Amino acid sequence: MKRTIFNNQLLPWLLLAPQLAITFIFFLWPAGQAIKQSFLREDAFGINTSFVGLDNFTALLDSPEYLNSLQVTAVFAVLVTALSMGLSLLLAIAVDRMIRSTRVYTTLLVWPYAVAPAVAGILWWFIFNPTIGIMPYLLDVIGYDWDHISSKTDAMILVVIASAWKQISYNFLFFVAGLQAIPASMREAAAIDGAGPVRRFFDITLPLLSPTTFFLLVVNIVYAMFDTFGVIDATTEGGPAQATNIMVYKVYFDGFVGQNIGSSAAQSVVLMLLVITLTVIQFRWVEKKVEY
Amino acid sequence: MSRILTASALALIASLSAANAKTDIQWWHAMGGELGAKLEEIVKGFNESQDEYNVIPSYKGTYPETMTAAIAAFRAKQQPAIVQVFEVGTGTMMAAEGAIVPVHQLMQDQGVPFDQDAFLPAVVGYYTDTDGNMLSMPFNSSTPILYYNKDIFEKAGLDPDTPPKTWGEMEEFSRKIIDSGAASCGFTTGWISWIQTENFSAWHNQPIGTEQNGFGGLDAKLTVNGPVQAKHWANLKKWADEGIFKYGGPVGGDNAPPMFYSQDCAMIMNSSASRAGVIANATDFELGYGMLPYYDDVEGAPQNSIIGGATLWVLSGRPDEEYAGAARFFEYLSSPEVQADWHQFSGYLPITQAAYDLGKEQNYYDQNPGSEVALQQITLNAPTENSKGLRFGNYVQIRGIIDEEFEQMLSGSKDAQEALDSVVERGNKLIAEFKAQHQ
């Protein structure tokens, strides 16, 4: 790569300025505000403010609802990631083998990604609505009484399906690109040596896909933890009885609806720390095991 | 350069407002759809009735969104003069001394005549302080009533003109309906917290909390886990297990109305303000209206139901002339003509006795059966300390807790008493937190 030399000391900073400004205004400043708020107790209108130290954080640890939310988030993130990555890998392999109509399938499969989370939520809300939805009707035929309004398991299934569905397209695109980057000659050679499709997949395709898989793993966990807010809001609103109340939704509900700014800020600080830790772990240790 | 531009822009704005000499008054509200259109029509009537003030209504989304928007605007010193806040936000607004101008004070300061006794006691009681002074302007108040499907009643061999009066009849009628195959479920309900807990308590003259249900001050504690409430929740669980009652979801219960419209459930308890919606959707069957059922073995039942809906709060920190306009606008809003028109259009209660009387004069209630039930129910008896309403801090979140604990009970992980005990325990923590925020 060619290194650019600036004669002017100011110019590089000037070129960087828009990005730095955006980072400051949209990331650093709000994060700083959240940290500040998390040490304060304040009424909704901001008339009475007092410094309470770590009270907001200790209150969280004492709150069974918050601990429940941590657990729900973990379960939810694992399920969404596993489902969306598993399915999209299957679809990608299917498309990869069917060279001629690839383009049509790819286009069809990418559609859901263009749908906004809230719209996707409403869509699934309709499909699974116990009164007017098509799925409960079909499930009833096979003898399953679907009711995500009172059943915690059904509610979790619903938000996992709705969230994973949206992410499948994205994963699919990366997997198809990853698969097509694997030289056909390697698989052919293995086939000649007598390796069956399953053996070829696990010994050749999967290891060579690992950079893609690793990247998607990070993206999907982050997606499940943060971007699924709209889906939750439109389908279950965190219910029933907090069964689908993931951490971001709880931050929104306590802060925006409940006007409990201190607690909400403390929760977002915890979330921030969690993401930092997760990213560090993934890039420090997991990445080492990935072959590029 | 930019300074010159700003200055000239300001000058332009100043000259424009000088030219039409009208003071703009911002009103943020949460009335969408047809209600919003009607609201704008009402505002237009005011703007055309005089040439000093110009009220500008802006739709800000749902109730929580509107309230949050106003609070955020206040913190940024960009607040509107008037904002519509739902009834559970009352505790938050009332405790925000310095952020609001109480309505009684506004009217007095501006010298606009204001007779608090002209308002319906059940409406005004919800929004007064301990000295009986009105803090916000009632605008759209509703109360839950019973809607039922006359066709299903007839098919089940019941008298289609007699809705159930007691919970005993509710159960008995529902069983007949299900056994005869007329419908697959007896009843559903919107708003577990508002209808089956808060209104239920008021209707049976049971306390929801100490300190006159929170009206007395920030020290109040919830006491909604009394034997009458526990018995009712336990019954709802029992009926849910038997299929007599179907749960329609948390908050307003999005899934409850479709169960009634599709004739799966014969009855629904919901806001009087949803009457227009119910009529619009109940095209295949004949509608009946009734009061909320009560347990006839509870002393003092039925007392009176309590309201929901919203009122208009005046925020402080605006120029004086806007307050003069706001006072004039409130006078216009509470006039019998405007109120009767709004009430008859929307299904919300008329807030003044005069508006109610005007409706009677116009024979509105005779021509529209069912439209009077809500009024009769809320004025059935004079409100007691237990039935004038409720006011607790952080109540928006407490309502969420009520929904959750009810769901815990339905799923079988807690019985009714345990669920209500947790409502009290968790709710009291939030109330204590609210108190700490205001010290």
Side-chain angles (χ1 to χ4, degrees), chain A residues 59-81:
Chain A
L60 284 184
L61 293 178
D62 281 342
S63 152
E65 291 79 38
Y66 189 68
L67 302 177
N68 167 67
S69 168
L70 284 174
Q71 199 187 338
V72 167
T73 310
V75 171
F76 176 75
V78 168
L79 289 178
V80 169
T81 307

Side-chain angles (χ1 to χ4, degrees), chain A residues 83 89 98 100 149 164 223 257:
Chain A
L83 184 68
L89 183 57
M98 207 191 296
R100 223 178 309 160
I149 294 164
Y223 162 79
V257 182

Side-chain angles (χ1 to χ4, degrees), chain A residues 37 41-50 56 59 62-65 125 129-132 147-152 234 236-242 245 252-263, chain B residues 64-65 67-71 74-75 92-93 95-100 247-251 254-255 258-259 262 264 315 394 396-397 400 403-405 407-408 410-411 413 426 429-430 433 436-439:
Chain A
Q37 290 282 359
R41 173 182 280 144
E42 197 170 51
D43 71 299
F45 283 89
I47 297 166
N48 301 300
T49 307
S50 54
N56 286 326
D62 281 342
S63 152
E65 291 79 38
W125 181 86
N129 186 296
T131 317
I132 53 174
D147 184 11
H148 69 262
I149 294 164
S150 17
S151 160
K152 295 181 183 183
T236 62
E237 294 180 30
Q242 307 232 357
N245 200 3
Y252 155 79
F253 193 84
D254 290 357
F256 195 82
V257 182
Q259 292 293 338
N260 195 343
I261 298 162
S263 171
Chain B
E65 282 164 4
M67 181 169 163
T68 316
I71 289 173
F74 183 86
R75 293 175 78 118
T92 302
M93 298 302 290
E97 278 170 42
I100 56 143
Y247 177 55
V251 196
D254 282 344
N255 290 295
M259 290 190 238
S262 64
D264 285 344
L315 296 175
N394 278 335
V396 182
Q397 279 171 291
D403 284 329
E404 278 169 35
E405 294 297 337
E407 286 165 352
Q408 296 277 18
L410 285 186
S411 73
S413 40
R426 292 172 62 191
K429 261 190 212 162
L430 283 172
E433 172 69 25
Q437 283 168 353
H438 288 86
Q439 274 170 349

